[in-house]
Amino acid sequence: MNDNAPPTSVGSGSTGRIHPGTSCAARVVRVVAAVLCALGLSAVAASPARADPTAGGDLQVAQTLGDRDLTFMLRRVTGLPGPLHVDVLTHRGTAAGTLRLGAVPTGVSADRAEGSSAGTTTSRASVRLGGTPGSYGAALDIDRAGPWELVVDDGSRTARIPFVVPGQATSPPELAVFGGFVTAGVLILVTLFVAVRVRRGAWVLLPAGGVVAALAVAVTAALLSASLPPPPQPGGQVDATNDNVTDPYAVVRPVTNDYSRPPVSLELGSYPAKAGERGTLRLSVTDGATGLPADDLVVHDGALMHLLVIGPTGELWHLHPIRTAPATYEVRLRLPAAGHYAVSAEFARLGGGVQQVRSATGLTVADGPEHNGPARGGSSRNGSARGGAPALPAELTPQGPGTRTIEGVPVRLSAPSPTAGEASTLTARIGDTPTLQPWLGMVGHMIVVGPLDKADATSPTRMGQAAQGAPVWAHAHSMGGDMSGHSAHDMRAAPAHDADAMGHGDTGGMEHGNADAMEDGHETGKGDGHGAGTGSMSGLMPLNGDSPADETVAAYGPDASFVYTFSRPGYYRVWIQAERDSAVLTVPYLLRVSPAGGAR
């Protein structure tokens, strides 16, 4: 046997000798495979942290359409082209009938075919409303991203609800992740080809290094995507009407201008209807800086506009006018008593924030024929007679803390003694079971007006005029009841006080006082020694792009708590509103706030 004989050949054409570059290439391939597995696992583990900037919840819009108070739920469009599901939620007393819906694109498009259809109805559907409260739905076809209008026609009026379908844009981190992995995949094939075909192993290091670099870019983008700053925000950083509509990442230029919106002016049209007659109130919104129509209102707290009307009897209307044309709104209502009505509107401009604007003039309604029917949009059953003072039902008479019944529902109010300059908490227990429904996305609403002269605050004929000049108008929300799961004990309701301000209250489980005395026109409540049950905020606030609970959910309360700091002492009129059994309850109160330092 010859020890110097060459080794046996392996394969055809082989010289039987293993080239040093081949083993080097094999080692490089193994290293690349290992790195690929490790980085791939890292990317998979990091992928849940990737933010989806195009995700958005459903759009909830309340509308006072003729004699109906409706809530429209515009479900998110998950793909283009795709359906827009519209659910119409009705309330107790909503008349049956048919609504005709239409989808109208309003934005300018670079595509001539799309641009030619702007302003015309591209899809139609009908919704037949039943006589019982519930949800009634239809679907419309959406074929592009950008601004749209939902046109709602009830046969006598047409509402135009603006909404935006976000573009299906890919964020820069996502592009880096996808691009990195695609590049790595291509370079892996190149690496394998070079390792097999090229004898010099050093050449394999070039595509292999590219694989590692591409994977490093992809994994780094995936890990850092959650901490990167969001795209420029419409209004303060980019023009809210033109930029970032279909692609939030399209504008990358440095921010050099302030595009925020100035305040607006609220103008009321003429209201010729007399007391007890139905009439249409028209409103226009103009830009405070240019005088031009301000047609950039966005949905805020479940409505384009929250209209508050306070009448001479102290009755409150909380309405949601329909948009009939750019910057033009209208609402149909019946004002039951002659006298002055104070008017305020709350809304949000795109890029301009939330604004509360009080009408400088309000409304003055002339005396009319005797009317004893239900008052449109108010607490109901308010009557007036020609030439005489309105006769207020007991439910519309303001009271202090204690127990009272509103439309058959017991309401127990408790509050600490409010003092000017100090935070005050008011808790209303509405019914005795957790069956409150989120109205306008909130468990409860509180409207506050004051301070007022005592005679005006208790007058059945001058409240509207007094509210017109009141220094404070406030609108706050209760986000839920007690979140701690504990009840409060040995708490007493404030004598002769009504919590007047609104804020985000998180205190529940408060003891409610009994109305067993009246002092200075206010009820005095005393604790009964029993802790109240607890409520919950669970599921009310949207998380991770999900939609908030709507009015089909009845699982909140029965406590609704509000926190507010009164800036000055005096008498305040307060209205608490909550939805139960598909009906919105309005509970009026009267509160006296003590001066700071304990003086009465």
Side-chain angles (χ1 to χ4, degrees):
M1 182 176 181
N2 186 358
D3 294 337
N4 295 324
T8 307
S9 63
V10 179
S12 64
S14 173
T15 60
R17 185 173 299 176
I18 301 177
H19 196 278
T22 305
S23 60
C24 179
R27 286 195 297 269
V28 170
V29 171
R30 287 195 295 268
V31 171
V32 170
V35 172
L36 177 62
C37 293
L39 294 181
L41 291 175
S42 300
V44 171
S47 60
R50 178 177 57 85
D52 182 7
T54 62
D58 302 335
L59 185 64
Q60 174 178 315
V61 188
Q63 296 277 267
T64 304
L65 183 61
D67 294 329
R68 297 184 176 101
D69 289 315
L70 304 172
T71 301
F72 292 84
M73 299 295 299
L74 281 63
R75 307 299 180 181
R76 74 181 77 181
V77 178
T78 57
L80 293 173
L84 168 68
H85 295 281
V86 180
D87 293 331
V88 183
L89 308 182
T90 62
H91 303 92
R92 189 195 309 169
T94 300
T98 301
L99 300 180
R100 288 171 289 278
L101 308 181
V104 178
T106 58
V108 178
S109 175
D111 189 312
R112 290 189 176 183
E114 291 185 353
S116 63
S117 62
T120 61
T121 304
T122 59
S123 179
R124 291 181 172 85
S126 296
V127 177
R128 184 168 185 80
L129 305 180
T132 58
S135 177
Y136 305 87
L140 298 167
D141 295 326
I142 302 295
D143 58 1
R144 76 193 71 167
W148 288 74
E149 284 184 352
L150 174 66
V151 180
V152 183
D153 182 6
D154 69 347
S156 60
R157 285 171 176 76
T158 301
R160 311 183 75 90
I161 303 174
F163 66 98
V164 175
V165 177
Q168 307 296 319
T170 302
S171 67
E174 288 178 318
L175 291 175
V177 172
F178 298 149
F181 279 113
V182 170
T183 303
V186 173
L187 290 178
I188 286 176
L189 297 177
V190 174
T191 302
L192 295 175
F193 177 81
V194 172
V196 172
R197 303 294 297 179
V198 179
R199 293 181 178 271
R200 299 177 64 89
W203 290 102
V204 181
L205 297 177
L206 293 178
V211 171
V212 175
L215 289 175
V217 170
V219 173
T220 302
L223 292 173
L224 297 181
S225 60
S227 60
L228 292 178
Q233 298 301 304
Q237 297 178 311
V238 294
D239 190 338
T241 58
N242 298 318
D243 300 328
N244 287 25
V245 174
T246 58
D247 184 359
Y249 301 96
V251 178
V252 295
R253 63 177 180 268
V255 178
T256 58
N257 297 317
D258 182 9
Y259 292 99
S260 59
R261 299 296 193 254
V264 303
S265 299
L266 177 69
E267 301 178 10
L268 305 184
S270 61
Y271 185 77
K274 297 182 179 180
E277 299 176 347
R278 293 190 182 277
T280 298
L281 175 62
R282 291 180 173 85
L283 311 97
S284 59
V285 182
T286 57
D287 187 277
T290 64
L292 297 174
D295 191 36
D296 56 1
L297 302 193
V298 296
V299 174
H300 160 65
D301 287 342
L304 286 169
M305 177 183 292
H306 300 265
L307 188 71
L308 302 177
V309 181
I310 299 176
T313 63
E315 187 172 3
L316 171 76
W317 287 260
H318 181 171
L319 306 169
H320 304 99
I322 62 173
R323 175 177 172 271
T324 58
T328 303
Y329 297 79
E330 71 175 41
V331 63
R332 185 171 175 83
L333 70 166
R334 180 170 58 189
L335 301 177
H340 189 80
Y341 290 76
V343 179
S344 173
E346 181 180 308
F347 43 76
R349 299 188 70 180
L350 180 62
V354 180
Q355 302 180 28
Q356 187 180 58
V357 182
R358 199 185 316 179
S359 169
T361 59
L363 295 174
T364 299
V365 178
D367 201 0
E370 183 178 352
H371 170 66
N372 292 307
R376 170 73 189 93
S379 302
S380 79
R381 296 186 301 280
N382 184 346
S384 64
R386 176 186 294 271
L392 275 181
E395 291 187 352
L396 299 181
T397 303
Q399 299 178 8
T403 302
R404 63 186 305 181
T405 300
I406 300 294
E407 297 189 19
V409 179
V411 181
R412 303 181 65 191
L413 176 68
S414 67
S417 179
T419 303
E422 300 179 3
S424 301
T425 300
L426 179 146
T427 300
R429 166 160 287 196
I430 303 169
D432 53 6
T433 57
T435 54
L436 297 184
Q437 299 162 265
W439 184 48
L440 307 174
M442 311 294 174
V443 171
H445 298 254
M446 181 183 285
I447 312 299
V448 177
V449 173
L452 305 168
D453 181 80
K454 181 182 178 181
D456 291 333
T458 57
S459 170
T461 59
R462 300 195 304 272
M463 183 57 209
Q465 189 64 55
Q468 182 71 46
V472 175
W473 280 56
H475 178 192
H477 302 125
S478 173
M479 301 301 295
D482 185 11
M483 296 172 57
S484 64
H486 301 286
S487 298
H489 300 278
D490 300 327
M491 301 186 69
R492 295 177 180 268
H497 295 300
D498 182 32
D500 163 59
M502 312 184 118
H504 296 280
D506 59 359
T507 55
M510 297 182 62
E511 185 184 9
H512 301 263
N514 295 320
D516 48 4
M518 290 292 292
E519 176 184 356
D520 244 358
H522 298 274
E523 239 173 306
T524 300
K526 295 184 178 181
D528 55 11
H530 300 286
T534 62
S536 173
M537 289 173 58
S538 175
L540 183 60
M541 298 302 295
L543 297 173
N544 299 324
D546 292 336
S547 302
D550 57 39
E551 297 171 50
T552 60
V553 179
Y556 300 97
D559 292 345
S561 298
F562 305 87
V563 177
Y564 185 78
T565 300
F566 299 97
S567 59
R568 58 181 71 186
Y571 289 87
Y572 289 79
R573 290 294 298 266
V574 179
W575 296 264
I576 292 179
Q577 294 187 302
E579 183 174 358
R580 188 174 186 270
D581 295 333
S582 297
V584 177
L585 305 178
T586 301
V587 191
Y589 291 104
L590 179 64
L591 173 69
R592 180 162 65 92
V593 177
S594 302
R600 308 297 290 181

